[in-house]
Amino acid sequence: MAGSSHGHTPAAWTGVIISFIGFCAAGVFMVAANPIGFWAGVAVIFLGGIVGLAMKAAGLGMPKESEEMAQARARAGQAQIS
């Protein structure tokens, strides 16, 4: 798993941080019985996802793996098994 670096990109970190802030805000407003604040927190959660996708589209996410790289990874995995 450590070799894949899944999620270690600016797009992933930014989207998760924004969503986490929205989650915390929604939780606080839910306990405070404030429905408008709760739904604002939920909106921030979705905003985090949109920002993450936009940053990924802008090139700040994981690059697509080429077919050559996928084949090399498969060969390396088979070599470790043998």
Side-chain angles (χ1 to χ4, degrees):
M1 272 311 221
S4 70
S5 71
H6 175 75
H8 296 279
T9 64
W13 279 101
T14 304
V16 167
I17 289 170
I18 292 172
S19 296
F20 181 71
I21 291 169
F23 176 79
C24 291
V28 167
F29 285 116
M30 183 172 55
V31 171
N34 184 335
I36 295 173
F38 169 77
W39 288 111
V42 171
V44 172
I45 293 170
F46 287 112
L47 178 68
I50 292 168
V51 168
L53 288 174
M55 289 179 69
K56 181 180 177 185
L60 295 171
M62 288 290 291
K64 297 276 186 192
E65 185 173 66
S66 68
E67 183 63 31
E68 180 181 312
M69 184 62 96
Q71 291 173 356
R73 185 181 308 277
R75 285 191 305 269
Q78 290 297 326
Q80 286 182 342
I81 294 172
S82 305

